[in-house]
């Protein structure tokens, strides 16, 4: 009997001295996971010869299917971000470059212009923000299904730059903040 | 009887944490028959014993060596996201783990053979075990993304996790070879309820400046997830099939799941009258997973710099869907595959060892006197009412062996009460003090064990805790 009381006492004591400070598991609702991801979008390269070919004439235009933005895994979670363009022109041509974002019905959602002087020029960079307080409507990005790139030659069709391997290079990348939770 | 009911009630309703795969309190606690499960070569003097089904041999453990519930969920007014960042993302490393184990005996009994040197034990127990290591790089990638980490390799081998539930059918022999040496072995048949593991992952994800475009994202992956039995359970939970969860569990627990074989080995050796060396190797076994198998793998390498359109070569394929081509190229370079191939999984093998010194007053034997012992001079060494010693525990884990060192003191108060106190050092705690009580009331043996008692001041702030409980009927035979 003494032993039973001893056991009971120890266990009761354990039960009494053990305690749990107040925990608030509702805090889990406050957890937000918002990573910023980045990756290249489109790379276009055209040598000066292209603009001197009669078949091309004064401009080059191409539509690119790009479903990365309207995939559910992206479109449902993206909050804000920006697209960064970088154009490098070593041709002898003065160029106007237009980038258009199109939806599935090929309707233009957004247009971006960049004027590029003949080479040698410094690299032209441009950043366009979407979402947030000052950016364009993020819905543009969510609904973009293809990208049209149009390069208009404002110069002649015969001159050749004396720079080695003259070409125009269009680079682009996106950097977006997503809400995972 | 009423007091036992109260004890049970307290145990079941108190906030004692039911949180140790390491059964340092139970190990070599020879008053308790369940201790045979952690050393089949333990000294035994019982004539027979029987554990109370389900209740006997109950042990539950949970541990997180780097983070406590209190660290994150304390009602302290701090921003929860800051706490997650400071205490988990920034502080935790890839060897930090969250693990849990439970074990309960459905049947556990033993009897002495005609040859009194042989003691047989048998039974069935259910065991669940899960461990996940902190996937540090993947967590940083999820919380921060790749943008702030240009050039950083996010290692995929940070993902290591394993879980399983098995029902174990066992039969063991404990044999006294001579006065100094007792050995034991136990054969086991495993009936796996489910198994899931993703432990052999390698590779990395890195974002760098591109060769052509502004960024290059590179994935080099060799990842694998293997499972068996999960879909059946999931379907039962989703009620997609006309099978209840209890039906699935009971079928897979009793030879309807994946089967395996294993063995436990152990010994006790008297270095002299008072000093004992013991050791055991548990769950040296495997399970062959053949039913409801689902394996997934991701193996390959690819670097992406977006869509590339290079003139004049591109004039020949102006109408091609370059996006789709890019997707297909990546998928061919890093194929995501699944299959239902059977596979072997190995049990988490455990090793125990101890050195024990007995002292104090000799204890009278409870065992049956065997005249052959007198004739052949094979009497047992005497027991004493005090013992001190040290124990070693090692378990095979996905990131390699994990060890614990224990110092213990055992005190017997007659044959009715025995108390074992332990101090254990392992990756979870340097201040783990445990206490185990074994009470013998007539033929009824009851034991209760709990460790990391210093953490009971605030259980939520504990890195580790375990609880064990058992109820057995023991007979030492007629003297």
């Amino acid at each position: 009997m003494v032993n039973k009381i001893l056991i009971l006492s120890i266990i009761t004591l354990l039960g009494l001295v053990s305690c749990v400070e107040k925990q608030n598991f509702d805090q889990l609702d406050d957890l937000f996971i918002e990573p910023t991801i980045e990756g290249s979008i489109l790379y276009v390269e055209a040598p000066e010869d292209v603009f001197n070919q009669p078949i091309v004439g004064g401009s080059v235009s191409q539509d690119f299917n790009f479903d990365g933005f309207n995939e559910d895994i992206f479109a449902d979670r993206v909050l804000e971000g920006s697209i960064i363009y970088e154009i490098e022109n070593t041709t002898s041509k003065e160029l106007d470059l237009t980038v258009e974002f199109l939806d599935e019905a090929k309707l233009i959602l957004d247009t971006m212009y960049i004027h590029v002087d003949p080479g040698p020029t410094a690299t032209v960079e441009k950043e366009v923000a979407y979402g947030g307080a000052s950016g364009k409507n993020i819905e543009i990005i969510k609904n973009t299904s293809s990208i049209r790139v149009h390069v208009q030659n404002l110069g002649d069709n015969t001159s050749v730059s004396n720079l080695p391997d003259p070409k125009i290079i269009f680079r682009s990348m996106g950097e977006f903040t997503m809400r995972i939770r | 009887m009423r007091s036992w009911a109260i004890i049970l009630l307290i145990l079941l309703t108190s906030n004692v944490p039911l949180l140790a795969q390491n059964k340092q309190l139970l190990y070599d606690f020879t008053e308790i028959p369940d201790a045979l499960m952690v050393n089949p070569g333990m000294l035994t003097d019982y004539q027979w014993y029987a554990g109370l089904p389900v209740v006997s041999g109950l042990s539950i453990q949970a541990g997180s060596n780097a983070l406590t519930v209190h660290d994150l969920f304390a009602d302290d007014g701090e921003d929860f996201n800051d706490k997650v960042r400071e205490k988990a993302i920034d502080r935790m490393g890839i060897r930090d783990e969250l693990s849990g184990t439970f074990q309960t005996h459905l049947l556990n009994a033993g009897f002495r053979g005609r040859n009194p040197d042989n003691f047989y034990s048998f039974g069935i127990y259910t065991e669940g075990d899960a461990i996940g290591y902190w996937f540090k790089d993947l967590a940083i990638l999820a919380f921060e993304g790749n943008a702030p980490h240009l050039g950083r390799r996010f290692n995929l081998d940070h993902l290591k996790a394993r879980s399983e539930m098995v029902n174990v059918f066992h039969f063991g022999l404990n044999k006294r070879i001579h006065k100094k040496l007792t050995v034991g072995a136990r054969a086991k048949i495993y009936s796996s309820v489910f198994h899931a593991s993703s432990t052999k992952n390698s590779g990395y994800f890195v974002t760098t400046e591109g060769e052509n475009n502004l960024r290059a994202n590179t994935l080099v992956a060799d990842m694998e997830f293997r499972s068996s039995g999960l879909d059946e359970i999931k379907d039962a939970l989703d009620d997609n099939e006309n099978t209840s969860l209890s039906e699935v569990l009971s079928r897979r627990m009793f030879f309807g799941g994946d089967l395996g074989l294993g063995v436990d080995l152990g010994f006790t050796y008297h270095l002299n009258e008072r000093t004992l060396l013991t050791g055991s190797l548990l769950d040296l076994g495997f399970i062959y997973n053949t039913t409801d198998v689902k394996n997934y793998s991701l193996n390959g390498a690819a670097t992406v710099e977006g869509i590339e359109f290079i003139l004049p070569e591109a004039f020949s394929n102006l109408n091609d869907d370059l996006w789709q081509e890019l997707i297909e190229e990546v998928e061919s370079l890093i194929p995501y595959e699944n299959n239902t191939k059977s596979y072997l999984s190995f049990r988490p093998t455990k090793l125990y060892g101890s050195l024990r010194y007995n002292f104090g007053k000799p204890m009278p034997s409870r065992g049956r006197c065997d005249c052959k012992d007198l004739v052949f001079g094979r009497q047992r060494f005497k027991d004493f009412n005090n013992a001190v010693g040290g124990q070693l525990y090692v378990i095979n884990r996905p990131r390699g062996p994990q060890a614990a060192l224990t110092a213990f003191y055992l005190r017997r108060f007659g044959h009715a009460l025995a108390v074992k106190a332990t101090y254990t050092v392992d990756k979870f705690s340097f201040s783990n003090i445990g206490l185990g009580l074994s009470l013998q009331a007539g033929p009824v043996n009851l034991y209760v064990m709990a460790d990391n008692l210093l953490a009971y001041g605030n259980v939520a702030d504990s890195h580790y805790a375990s609880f064990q409980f058992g109820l057995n009927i023991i007979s030492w035979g007629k003297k």
Side-chain angles (χ1 to χ4, degrees):
Chain A
M1 190 59 195
V2 173
N3 291 329
K4 289 179 184 176
I5 292 169
L6 176 67
I7 296 271
L8 189 62
S9 302
I10 290 172
I11 293 172
T12 306
L13 188 65
L14 270 180
L16 291 174
V17 299
S18 67
C19 59
V20 183
E21 280 186 23
K22 189 182 175 189
Q23 308 294 309
N24 179 5
F25 294 101
D26 291 339
Q27 293 179 83
L28 197 58
D29 297 336
D30 301 334
L31 178 66
F32 60 85
I33 303 174
E34 295 179 356
T36 303
I37 61 168
E38 66 177 22
S40 292
I41 298 173
L42 181 62
Y43 174 86
V44 179
E45 179 185 305
E48 185 163 33
D49 297 353
V50 169
F51 297 98
N52 289 337
Q53 288 177 17
I55 193 169
V56 173
S59 65
V60 176
S61 184
Q62 180 68 31
D63 286 5
F64 300 95
N65 175 37
F66 190 83
D67 292 325
F69 289 154
N70 62 8
E71 293 279 357
D72 289 345
I73 194 170
F74 181 86
D76 292 348
R77 293 172 173 81
V78 65
L79 297 173
E80 60 181 3
S82 60
I83 295 183
I84 299 156
Y85 304 94
E86 187 180 286
I87 295 95
E88 187 181 331
N89 182 20
T90 52
T91 72
S92 60
K93 315 286 193 273
E94 180 183 1
L95 304 165
D96 261 353
L97 191 138
T98 307
V99 179
E100 292 172 334
F101 287 175
L102 313 174
D103 67 9
E104 283 191 10
K106 296 293 181 188
L107 293 172
I108 298 171
L109 300 172
D110 192 24
T111 305
M112 191 274 303
Y113 299 99
I114 300 176
H115 178 82
V116 189
D117 290 330
T121 63
T123 302
V124 178
E125 291 179 358
K126 185 160 186 174
E127 182 171 350
V128 181
Y130 296 89
S134 57
K136 294 181 177 180
N137 191 339
I138 192 68
E139 294 300 318
I140 293 170
I141 294 296
K142 291 181 181 182
N143 291 309
T144 294
S145 175
S146 58
I147 301 170
R148 177 177 294 155
V149 178
H150 181 85
V151 183
Q152 180 69 46
N153 178 10
L154 303 177
D156 59 48
N157 293 329
T158 55
S159 62
V160 177
S161 168
N162 53 10
L163 293 170
D165 192 20
K167 63 177 74 168
I168 180 165
I169 297 174
F170 169 87
R171 301 182 177 97
S172 60
M173 62 172 274
E175 185 178 294
F176 291 96
T177 300
M178 317 265 289
R179 170 160 287 174
I180 292 179
R181 187 194 150 84
Chain B
M1 192 62 205
R2 196 176 161 200
S3 59
W4 299 123
I6 294 170
I7 289 171
L8 273 175
L9 191 66
I10 291 170
L11 287 172
L12 294 173
T13 58
S14 73
N15 50 9
V16 173
L18 300 181
L19 298 181
Q21 186 115 13
N22 181 5
K23 294 179 177 170
Q24 75 274 31
L25 283 158
L26 184 62
Y27 186 78
D28 209 31
F29 205 146
T30 55
E31 276 74 7
I32 303 167
D34 292 354
L36 264 175
M37 296 306 295
V38 279
N39 181 4
M42 177 185 91
L43 296 178
T44 58
D45 58 357
Y46 330 112
Q47 189 60 27
W48 60 265
Y49 74 87
L52 197 68
V54 182
V55 175
S56 182
L58 176 69
S59 67
I60 304 175
Q61 165 266 332
S64 166
N65 65 305
L67 194 66
T68 67
V69 171
H70 187 74
D71 284 339
L72 293 181
F73 295 101
D75 200 7
D76 51 12
E78 281 186 46
D79 184 86
F80 186 66
N81 291 284
D82 291 343
K83 288 193 279 189
V84 169
R85 178 160 297 282
E86 289 167 15
K87 294 170 179 173
I89 307 284
D90 295 343
R91 190 202 294 173
M92 289 174 70
I94 61 167
R95 299 195 73 82
D96 293 326
E97 68 173 68
L98 177 66
S99 60
T101 303
F102 79 90
Q103 190 181 90
T104 184
H105 291 184
L106 303 179
L107 174 68
N108 189 25
F111 61 92
R112 193 160 295 283
R114 286 187 178 177
N115 179 348
D117 288 337
N118 296 342
F119 188 81
Y120 302 94
S121 61
F122 61 93
I124 308 167
Y125 68 85
T126 306
E127 183 178 272
D129 177 46
I131 182 168
Y133 290 92
W134 179 242
F135 40 90
K136 188 177 181 74
D137 275 11
L138 300 179
I140 291 172
L141 188 59
F143 273 82
E144 299 175 4
N146 62 336
H149 298 286
L150 196 65
R152 172 175 180 159
R153 284 190 177 193
F154 293 95
N155 288 316
L156 304 181
D157 67 357
H158 287 192
L159 180 64
K160 269 191 200 297
R162 187 179 64 75
S163 69
E164 67 178 341
M165 180 177 168
V166 292
N167 211 33
V168 185
F169 302 81
H170 59 91
F171 183 85
L173 169 63
N174 176 280
K175 185 175 182 61
R176 188 160 60 117
I177 302 296
H178 51 71
K179 188 176 178 182
K180 284 188 169 182
L181 178 66
T182 300
V183 298
R186 179 180 295 107
K188 290 178 167 178
I189 298 173
Y190 303 112
S191 181
S192 171
V193 177
F194 74 85
H195 174 268
S197 73
S198 183
T199 57
K200 293 177 180 171
N201 300 312
S202 65
Y204 60 86
F205 171 77
V206 65
T207 302
T208 55
E209 288 189 1
E211 194 174 312
N212 287 332
N213 212 337
L214 297 171
R215 292 289 181 269
N217 286 322
T218 301
L219 179 64
V220 178
D222 185 0
M223 305 183 78
E224 185 181 58
F225 173 80
R226 304 187 303 183
S227 73
S228 67
L230 283 183
D231 273 22
E232 273 190 82
I233 293 172
K234 183 175 175 292
D235 286 343
L237 286 170
D238 294 345
D239 207 22
N240 292 338
E241 307 286 334
N242 292 324
T243 316
S244 69
L245 180 63
S246 58
E247 281 177 65
V248 172
L249 291 180
S250 56
R251 178 168 50 77
R252 293 191 66 90
M253 282 170 70
F254 291 91
F255 303 107
D258 302 307
L259 302 179
L261 295 170
V263 66
D264 295 348
L265 303 167
F267 74 94
T268 298
Y269 184 76
H270 280 82
L271 297 172
N272 55 47
E273 189 185 7
R274 292 171 180 263
T275 312
L276 292 84
L277 184 69
T278 76
S280 67
L281 192 63
L282 308 179
D283 280 320
L284 194 62
F286 66 89
I287 293 169
Y288 190 47
N289 297 278
T290 58
T291 63
D292 195 23
V293 171
K294 292 280 164 59
N295 301 323
Y296 305 89
S297 69
L298 194 65
N299 193 342
T303 297
V304 175
E305 294 191 30
I307 297 171
E308 292 196 345
F309 185 78
I310 299 175
L311 294 172
E313 295 86 348
F315 277 133
S316 60
N317 51 8
L318 290 175
N319 296 318
D320 286 0
D321 186 342
L322 299 180
W323 170 257
Q324 198 54 41
E325 286 180 6
L326 179 66
I327 298 293
E328 288 169 6
E329 185 186 350
V330 171
E331 285 176 348
S332 69
L333 289 170
I334 316 177
Y336 169 72
E337 293 175 341
N338 62 75
N339 64 60
T340 56
K341 286 182 189 167
S342 302
Y343 66 93
L344 273 179
S345 59
F346 292 92
R347 298 282 294 141
T349 304
K350 286 141 266 183
L351 173 76
Y352 284 93
S354 79
L355 187 64
R356 166 178 174 155
Y357 178 71
N358 295 326
F359 63 100
K361 294 178 184 172
M363 300 280 290
S365 170
R366 285 183 296 196
R368 185 177 60 173
C369 173
D370 193 310
C371 296
K372 283 191 292 184
D373 285 349
L374 298 174
V375 172
F376 297 108
R378 296 164 59 178
Q379 300 97 321
R380 296 167 188 275
F381 285 105
K382 287 175 184 164
D383 278 331
F384 294 84
N385 66 342
N386 290 282
V388 291
Q391 294 173 192
L392 170 71
Y393 168 77
V394 182
I395 182 170
N396 188 26
R397 286 302 203 184
R399 284 206 185 278
Q402 195 169 298
L405 276 173
T406 298
F408 70 88
Y409 171 65
L410 178 75
R411 178 79 163 96
R412 296 185 174 100
F413 301 92
H415 286 307
L417 179 67
V419 180
K420 184 177 181 182
T422 57
Y423 169 68
T424 301
V425 176
D426 59 15
K427 72 182 288 186
F428 295 100
S429 171
F430 285 175
S431 57
N432 180 354
I433 292 175
L435 193 65
L437 305 173
S438 170
L439 178 69
Q440 193 69 42
V444 178
N445 170 264
L446 174 120
Y447 70 89
V448 181
M449 297 169 174
D451 66 1
N452 211 10
L453 299 176
L454 297 180
Y456 277 49
N458 181 12
V459 174
D461 203 20
S462 168
H463 286 288
Y464 173 90
S466 76
F467 171 78
Q468 292 162 77
F469 172 79
L471 196 59
N472 294 287
I473 309 295
I474 305 176
S475 168
W476 285 268
K478 293 178 181 174
K479 285 196 174 184

